[in-house]
Amino acid sequence: MTPKWRELADKLAEEIKNGRYEPGQQLPQIRELVAKGKGSKSTVHAAYKALEAEGLVTSSRGHGTVVRQRVPLKRLGIARYDKAKWRDSDEVAFIADRVASGRSYRRNEQTQTVSLVEAQPAVAAAHGLPEGAPVYARARLVKEGDQPTHTLTSYYRPEHVEGTRIVDPTPGPAGRGGGFRVLYDAGYEIDHMKEAIFARAATSDEAKLLQLPAGEPVVELHRTTYTASGTVVEFAIGVHAASRFAWEYDFKVPDSAKGEKGQ
């Protein structure tokens, strides 16, 4: 005999798949379903936990149980940094991802804090500075609607950004074209990048900030941005909710042997 919590979970799952509950919509509070005779508190709770385990909903304290976005955002690789997007237009990286995904956005969906901090080992190594040297940390939280998608903290040498919009904590990108345009206008045109990504378990603070369901991992990004002369102008660490992005790269396949034959 099928447990009552399983029957309720199956019914709710069918309603989610049929569109009765749309992505981002909160399911009824447990007490509401109990009052409607859908089962006891433990039955409804078990049904919600089953939906969460199946990836149909997320649950967090203060936000209830919410239907997941079924289609992850495209996290563009090389294309999101196209100079034409930020130098000649106003399509900063997180907006480029939304445009590529056919999703709407508001500039103030990126909030930030800016502070002068001591460079931790990874930051110091990237910038070629001694540990503890002062650097500006520009920490952003990016949301889609009310749901956080990722954090990104960029670290800069003070002499590169002092007095620019990069150190302005106003919500949204750092003016038209964002931080890369600010660096460009200051004479630090970005030329190439190095990115490393890896998955790991979320910390308790990250799970709370990103409103992650229990057990969901995060994808951590380390990005080092260089000028043509090799000067590092930004080192960034991003933490992304794993289920909310699909990483996409499009690039020409290298042939190093061809270069060797020409020498």
Side-chain angles (χ1 to χ4, degrees):
M1 183 175 178
T2 305
K4 192 165 184 178
W5 66 264
R6 183 67 263 174
E7 292 180 356
L8 178 58
D10 289 344
K11 182 178 179 180
L12 289 170
E14 190 65 27
E15 291 177 342
I16 290 171
K17 292 172 183 176
N18 289 339
R20 179 177 176 184
Y21 297 108
E22 298 181 351
Q25 183 177 352
Q26 184 175 336
L27 295 185
Q29 296 287 335
I30 290 178
R31 62 175 178 273
E32 293 178 36
L33 293 186
V34 172
K36 291 179 179 179
K38 301 297 183 181
S40 65
K41 182 177 179 180
S42 61
T43 294
V44 178
H45 179 73
Y48 276 13
K49 294 302 289 184
L51 294 175
E52 186 175 355
E54 291 160 18
L56 293 175
V57 301
T58 62
S59 181
S60 62
R61 186 181 300 275
H63 294 88
T65 301
V66 177
V67 178
R68 277 192 184 219
Q69 297 283 356
R70 287 189 288 274
V71 180
L73 282 165
K74 287 183 180 179
R75 175 77 181 193
L76 297 179
I78 299 168
R80 73 196 307 264
Y81 303 124
D82 185 349
K83 292 183 182 181
K85 295 182 185 298
W86 53 264
R87 182 193 59 204
D88 307 329
S89 185
D90 191 22
E91 208 171 287
V92 298
F94 92 87
I95 293 177
D97 290 340
R98 303 289 175 85
V99 171
S101 303
R103 309 266 266 269
S104 61
Y105 64 87
R106 298 190 305 273
R107 290 176 66 84
N108 64 2
E109 286 178 328
Q110 174 182 295
T111 61
Q112 62 217 7
T113 58
V114 181
S115 55
L116 197 60
V117 301
E118 294 183 354
Q120 297 301 307
V123 177
H127 278 288
L129 294 169
E131 290 185 26
V135 292
Y136 273 106
R138 181 169 174 249
R140 284 93 85 199
L141 172 65
V142 182
K143 296 183 177 183
E144 184 177 19
D146 293 327
Q147 184 182 64
T149 58
H150 65 289
T151 65
L152 183 69
T153 302
S154 295
Y155 298 90
Y156 306 92
R157 288 178 175 241
E159 61 266 29
H160 293 162
V161 299
E162 198 82 67
T164 71
R165 293 190 305 273
I166 281 178
V167 295
D168 181 350
T170 302
R176 180 176 173 81
F180 291 152
R181 179 57 191 264
V182 173
L183 290 168
Y184 175 83
D185 289 342
Y188 301 105
E189 180 175 1
I190 67 172
D191 178 76
H192 58 283
M193 296 180 175
K194 179 174 67 177
E195 287 191 344
I197 57 175
F198 56 94
R200 60 172 175 79
T203 67
S204 58
D205 286 344
E206 289 166 345
K208 182 178 180 180
L209 182 62
L210 295 175
Q211 299 173 20
L212 301 177
E216 175 162 347
V218 293
V219 175
E220 184 168 322
L221 162 76
H222 288 193
R223 179 178 79 203
T224 311
T225 305
Y226 303 82
T227 65
S229 64
T231 299
V232 174
V233 290
E234 180 212 36
F235 175 68
I237 299 175
V239 179
H240 303 69
S243 67
R244 297 170 195 166
F245 289 93
W247 300 75
E248 181 176 295
Y249 291 88
D250 183 3
F251 52 89
K252 182 176 177 61
V253 176
D255 185 354
S256 59
K258 184 180 292 185
E260 291 172 0
K261 290 176 182 178
Q263 292 178 355

